[in-house]
Amino acid sequence: VGTKLSNRYEIVREIARDGIGVVYLARDPMLDREVAVKVISSALLTGEASDRFIREARAIADMDHPAISTIYDVGDHEGSIYFVMPLVSGSTLRLLMRDGSLRLGDILDLGAQVADGLAYTHGRGIVHRDLRPENIVVARGEGDSIRVRIKDFGLSQPSLESQLTRTTDEDGISSEAAYLSPEQVAGTGVDARADIYALGTLLYDA
């Protein structure tokens, strides 16, 4: 907090953290707007991982879909990579699931929007790998309609161990592991079907 990245992005406060890094609220004085900045933990940045993060960030930045949270910029700071993204308004799907405010029509609309976003990105070779309620933001629009944004597309590949050992629920099941496909749990190859499995699971939960 208080740091300026690339002599431009002014870090204001921490918003969230996950298995691969920390997300901060930041201000971009050049464009006079608030943004979200995700700083990837340097411990994860092997040469191969760094190349993958940069490659997929470029692919996401080139995408244009209403359900996908894009990437504005990428840089490095003290050995860590960071990504600048839109500051998305709304509540995470996890919070809405907890307060029970979603109606059946909302859930159907949400599923259609997420599926459309997945089809768009999968068609361009990008798999989310970590689709769960925390990575889906829902905002109310005109006429009480909902707008869905999927966060962290292309930036989510926490280790299997971190996902399986994260805080568990009352049944002893990790809130993240619940959305992992069997292939991910087995440690075999992951493709677009892992995201489809996760979508089906979160719709069932919702």
Side-chain angles (χ1 to χ4, degrees):
V1 175
T3 301
K4 182 178 286 190
L5 304 179
S6 297
N7 199 33
R8 175 175 177 178
Y9 304 106
E10 301 166 352
I11 302 298
V12 177
R13 60 180 171 84
E14 181 178 325
I15 299 176
R17 57 179 62 220
D18 58 25
I20 64 171
V22 182
V23 181
Y24 297 96
L25 168 66
R27 182 175 177 274
D28 178 3
M30 184 175 294
L31 295 178
D32 191 24
R33 66 181 176 185
E34 291 184 329
V35 294
V37 175
K38 183 161 191 174
V39 180
I40 307 300
S41 171
S42 58
L44 299 176
L45 295 178
T46 62
E48 180 181 352
S50 296
D51 290 345
R52 184 188 69 81
F53 280 126
I54 297 298
R55 182 174 63 253
E56 295 198 2
R58 287 172 177 165
I60 295 298
D62 194 42
M63 293 183 183
D64 182 17
H65 191 281
I68 305 301
S69 183
T70 190
I71 293 176
Y72 291 149
D73 196 6
V74 61
D76 62 83
H77 177 75
E78 297 181 351
S80 295
I81 294 175
Y82 67 85
F83 302 91
V84 182
M85 302 170 287
L87 188 63
V88 180
S89 61
S91 300
T92 66
L93 177 57
R94 175 69 71 192
L95 292 176
L96 296 177
M97 288 164 60
R98 286 174 179 166
D99 67 25
S101 62
L102 290 173
R103 302 180 296 264
L104 177 58
D106 295 331
I107 296 171
L108 294 175
D109 194 8
L110 180 148
Q113 291 184 45
V114 173
D116 193 52
L118 291 176
Y120 179 88
T121 53
H122 290 167
R124 288 154 180 78
I126 299 295
V127 179
H128 194 290
R129 304 181 185 89
D130 191 24
L131 190 67
R132 52 193 168 90
E134 289 80 2
N135 283 332
I136 297 176
V137 178
V138 182
R140 292 284 180 185
E142 295 182 3
D144 210 27
S145 63
I146 66 169
R147 180 185 180 186
V148 172
R149 286 284 193 94
I150 308 172
K151 300 191 304 178
D152 280 3
F153 235 114
L155 303 181
S156 296
Q157 197 177 31
S159 69
L160 177 62
E161 180 181 3
S162 73
Q163 289 176 299
L164 293 177
T165 59
R166 199 73 56 84
T167 302
T168 58
D169 61 18
E170 60 271 19
D171 296 320
I173 301 173
S174 165
S175 62
E176 294 185 3
Y179 303 97
L180 295 176
S181 67
E183 293 78 15
Q184 286 174 288
V185 174
T188 57
V190 175
D191 58 26
R193 290 172 291 183
D195 288 347
I196 297 171
Y197 179 95
L199 174 57
T201 303
L202 68 85
L203 288 178
Y204 177 83
D205 279 354

